[in-house]
Amino acid sequence: MVFGFKRNRANDENSNVPFGTVQMPTPPSPPPVYADNDDDYEKELDSQKSIDLAYEVTEHDTLNENERWPTSEELATMVRVADHVPPRAFLIIVTEFCERFTYYGVSGIFQNYIQNGYKVPGSNPGAIDGGKQMATGLGNFFQFWCYITPIFAAIIADQWWGKYKTILVFAVLYLVGDLILTLTALPSSIRSGGALPGLIISMIIIGLGTGGIKSNVSPLVAEQYQRNRPFIRKLKNGKEVLVDRDTTIQSIFNWFYWAINVGSLSAIATSELEHNVDFWPAYLLPTLMFVVCIIVFWLGRNRYVRNPPSGSILLVAVKCMVTGFKQSRKAKKAGHVITREDGKKASWMDYAKPSNMLDSEESENAAWNDNFVDELHRTLRACKVFLFFPVYWLCYGQITNNLVSQAGEMNTGSVPNDIMQNIDPLFLIVFIPIFDKVIYPGLRRCGIVIGPVTRIFVGFLLAAIAMAYAAIVQHLIYTSGPYYDNPGSNHNDISAAIQIPAYAFIACSEIFASITGLEYAYTRAPHNMKSIVMSIFLFTNCGGAILAFAFNPISADPKLVENFAIASGLMGGFAFLFFACFFKYDRKDRMANKNR
């Protein structure tokens, strides 16, 4: 049970309770009685008390009809299932769908917009005529910018506005960027040279809006599910199941990610519009959808669970870590060595606990308590997993730049080359419900629980396979005539349909790596650090964009085979290194679930 800085009051953005106030959870309903004698009854009560202490019990952990608390034996042996997703969470999921419709609708056609000239006969659609390297470079900048801004937005949400207000304000900013992009894509603006400066300004503004939404919307949707403690539910057929929070959060994020990919299909519409009409209507469509996004999100304002801002945890966390480092050095010099309750040697973070500080004055003035240090230590442990994600995002980012250009060098028939990237979300729309409703539950019924580290490892391997396949496709393009390894804006005699397996591998990798990363960031973070941890996970996209900048010199013909092959090799190597470093985490999680 976690105390410290936990707050559970919903719809209270303006709480006057000071930061750091300890709040005790509301006791759960009495445990069931299964005992035939007093001794067994007392044992059952003791078992239920230990279960209470293993969970962060809130006032929402009460029983409804046909529900009861599980025994410790049932916790260890029963298959865990997901609960129903709250209706208010679907409002946020619809909001995310609209936002992603806009994001992918505009960014999905950036490569052509930047790379090619305007209305050039026999060429793919374009506007700026900046070439392949400029298009890839600006695309990487946009990715970098969109995923560094969540850090600042998370601080704003935690310190002042809360998640709901932060999302709403940044959404309005996002809409301004969309309008600038649409207006500067008008034919008169393109011909007068306004397309490039308009694009850069809109990229900066849309990136700010994206950061404000992305760092807060995924924690907000998960917060709509309020029950923490597992419970037994009796189904209509008389069967009893163990409903589990972590499994429910996994399901929520599966559907959240499913909505993202349905929204990303907007690139099909915008690609057709740029190809058959012009760029300004292609940008106008997602701009209008974003108006719908703001309206839908605002309509749910009185339904959402809204936890109040509790102060910027990031600043306190940094000070806490600095204090831990200084105190550990001071303690070692003084010969003051401490051990944990389990008998293991204390880490440098443990010396930041006020109870372990040598200086009593510094201990009294600390802005945190012992429990906060434990939570921060758990957060840092979780964030180690994210260190390997930049290489994954390097591979994933190829979808919107180099794979688009690759399709432009092949025969696509009457289909625009940048419409091929939508094969990825189409696969995800089909695969995610199958994994959520069939594969994962089926494995759990067989007693097979795939831990988050193993799922991420599989996702990394699939991304490596996707890049290896893309390298093979690029080699086939270069060995096909009539233009061979220098096709430019022309097409070699090879069908773009051969790209489909690369997108299928990437889609499967997202289910295992990207969705699990979101779930891991949320479930492993303490309550008051969820926005920060989520933004740190999103920040790994920036690492991928930085790596992509290093690949820019080989992101052009005739070096694209090297580009894909090196990305594949890096991803494969990092996948096995990741598993070697963290495979023990899954085992610890399994043991913790059995012992809780």
Side-chain angles (χ1 to χ4, degrees):
M1 186 179 298
V2 181
F3 301 127
F5 300 88
K6 172 71 178 175
R7 294 179 183 171
N8 294 307
R9 292 163 298 164
N11 305 311
D12 184 7
E13 296 277 3
N14 300 306
S15 172
N16 293 319
V17 178
F19 175 73
T21 300
V22 176
Q23 300 210 3
M24 300 293 288
T26 303
S29 299
V33 178
Y34 299 98
D36 295 326
N37 55 63
D38 290 343
D39 290 340
D40 288 342
Y41 178 77
E42 291 298 328
K43 288 179 181 179
E44 185 59 40
L45 284 179
D46 290 341
S47 172
Q48 290 292 327
K49 289 176 182 177
S50 67
I51 292 170
D52 291 348
L53 292 172
Y55 292 93
E56 188 177 349
V57 183
T58 75
E59 69 267 22
H60 302 282
D61 286 305
T62 56
L63 295 174
N64 300 318
E65 188 178 356
N66 296 324
E67 295 178 353
R68 63 176 176 83
W69 299 126
T71 64
S72 54
E73 181 181 354
E74 287 170 330
L75 277 174
T77 59
M78 287 187 71
V79 176
R80 299 178 181 231
V81 301
D83 200 355
H84 308 299
V85 178
R88 58 180 175 265
F90 281 110
L91 273 176
I92 300 174
I93 289 173
V94 171
T95 301
E96 179 67 1
F97 157 77
C98 295
E99 188 275 329
R100 291 290 90 181
F101 184 102
T102 303
Y103 178 87
Y104 286 106
V106 299
S107 64
I109 55 177
F110 276 166
Q111 190 79 3
N112 276 353
Y113 189 68
I114 302 166
Q115 178 176 332
N116 306 314
Y118 188 59
K119 302 290 185 181
V120 177
S123 176
N124 290 316
I128 296 173
D129 197 22
K132 189 179 297 182
Q133 285 185 307
M134 176 191 278
T136 301
L138 281 175
N140 290 332
F141 161 75
F142 184 62
Q143 179 187 343
F144 172 82
W145 180 242
C146 284
Y147 289 99
I148 196 172
T149 52
I151 293 285
F152 307 106
I155 293 174
I156 290 171
D158 288 343
Q159 181 71 45
W160 296 291
W161 291 351
K163 296 181 185 68
Y164 172 78
K165 184 178 178 181
T166 302
I167 292 171
L168 196 59
V169 171
F170 277 82
V172 173
L173 189 65
Y174 196 128
L175 182 59
V176 172
D178 289 333
L179 289 170
I180 292 172
L181 181 62
T182 303
L183 293 173
T184 55
L186 290 168
S188 58
S189 177
I190 293 174
R191 291 193 175 97
S192 63
L196 181 58
L199 174 71
I200 293 172
I201 293 170
S202 62
M203 277 183 165
I204 293 171
I205 296 175
I206 292 172
L208 285 171
T210 300
I213 295 171
K214 291 298 290 181
S215 63
N216 294 292
V217 71
S218 45
L220 184 64
V221 73
E223 285 174 4
Q224 304 312 301
Y225 184 74
Q226 292 280 281
R227 302 181 75 167
N228 286 332
R229 184 183 176 191
F231 61 91
I232 302 289
R233 173 179 289 151
K234 189 174 183 179
L235 304 179
K236 291 181 179 180
N237 61 7
K239 181 182 178 181
E240 289 191 326
V241 293
L242 177 62
V243 180
D244 175 64
R245 175 177 174 79
D246 284 353
T247 308
T248 304
I249 295 299
Q250 179 183 341
S251 179
I252 288 173
F253 278 124
N254 277 337
W255 289 107
F256 182 78
Y257 206 81
W258 184 84
I260 288 174
N261 283 279
V262 174
S264 70
L265 292 178
S266 61
I268 296 176
T270 55
S271 295
E272 287 290 343
L273 284 169
E274 64 148 9
H275 185 74
N276 297 310
V277 187
D278 209 337
F279 278 97
W280 70 265
Y283 288 135
L284 179 62
L285 175 63
T287 300
L288 294 175
M289 178 58 81
F290 201 76
V291 175
V292 176
C293 170
I294 295 174
I295 293 172
V296 169
F297 187 67
W298 179 80
L299 288 175
R301 64 194 182 282
N302 295 323
R303 300 183 182 184
Y304 302 135
V305 173
R306 289 194 259 168
N307 293 311
S310 55
S312 178
I313 298 298
L314 183 61
L315 303 178
V316 178
V318 170
K319 188 175 181 180
C320 179
M321 287 188 287
V322 171
T323 300
F325 179 73
K326 290 181 178 178
Q327 287 292 323
S328 63
R329 294 185 62 186
K330 187 185 295 186
K332 287 178 182 178
K333 287 181 180 179
H336 178 67
V337 180
I338 60 174
T339 57
R340 296 178 181 173
E341 293 181 0
D342 57 8
K344 294 182 180 180
K345 185 179 178 181
S347 70
W348 63 273
M349 280 291 296
D350 290 308
Y351 288 91
K353 294 181 178 180
S355 61
N356 292 333
M357 291 181 186
L358 292 176
D359 190 337
S360 59
E361 183 177 349
E362 189 168 358
S363 173
E364 291 174 1
N365 294 330
W368 55 86
N369 58 20
D370 287 7
N371 192 68
F372 177 83
V373 178
D374 289 332
E375 290 183 341
L376 180 59
H377 198 183
R378 180 158 57 96
T379 300
L380 293 175
R381 176 176 172 266
C383 289
K384 288 180 184 178
V385 172
F386 304 153
L387 294 175
F388 291 81
F389 268 89
V391 181
Y392 175 76
W393 297 125
L394 167 70
C395 297
Y396 176 80
Q398 305 293 318
I399 289 178
T400 56
N401 45 55
N402 286 323
L403 283 176
V404 172
S405 297
Q406 185 184 76
E409 297 174 347
M410 297 188 284
N411 291 325
T412 60
S414 59
V415 176
N417 66 303
D418 49 5
I419 209 170
M420 295 295 293
Q421 63 188 295
N422 294 284
I423 296 171
D424 169 71
L426 282 171
F427 272 111
L428 282 166
I429 289 167
V430 175
F431 288 166
I432 288 176
I434 293 174
F435 272 84
D436 187 69
K437 297 298 183 182
V438 180
I439 296 178
Y440 285 148
L443 290 173
R444 286 194 290 266
R445 282 194 295 270
C446 296
I448 302 172
V449 179
I450 305 176
V453 169
T454 303
R455 278 182 272 149
I456 293 171
F457 168 67
V458 172
F460 286 173
L461 284 182
L462 289 169
I465 293 171
M467 291 299 99
Y469 184 83
I472 294 170
V473 171
Q474 193 65 48
H475 174 72
L476 293 174
I477 292 171
Y478 287 161
T479 55
S480 301
Y483 302 101
Y484 297 101
D485 64 355
N486 191 29
S489 59
N490 301 302
H491 304 154
N492 280 337
D493 292 332
I494 183 170
S495 172
I498 200 173
Q499 274 193 320
I500 291 175
Y503 288 108
F505 285 127
I506 283 287
C508 289
S509 80
E510 289 180 70
I511 294 174
F512 285 103
S514 184
I515 296 177
T516 305
L518 283 172
E519 171 200 335
Y520 195 88
Y522 182 82
T523 57
R524 296 307 187 275
H527 175 79
N528 54 350
M529 298 184 187
K530 292 191 184 298
S531 288
I532 292 296
V533 175
M534 192 65 70
S535 62
I536 291 173
F537 173 67
L538 295 173
F539 181 72
T540 61
N541 278 270
C542 296
I546 291 171
L547 287 174
F549 280 122
F551 276 64
N552 223 34
I554 55 174
S555 294
D557 297 320
K559 300 179 180 179
L560 281 170
V561 173
E562 298 172 37
N563 175 89
F564 293 124
I566 294 172
S568 176
L570 276 176
M571 188 71 267
F574 270 77
F576 285 101
L577 182 60
F578 169 83
F579 192 71
C581 291
F582 300 114
F583 75 95
K584 293 181 180 179
Y585 282 20
D586 281 351
R587 186 175 62 187
K588 290 179 180 178
D589 287 342
R590 286 194 296 268
M591 294 301 296
N593 281 334
K594 287 182 179 179
N595 295 329
R596 290 201 290 189

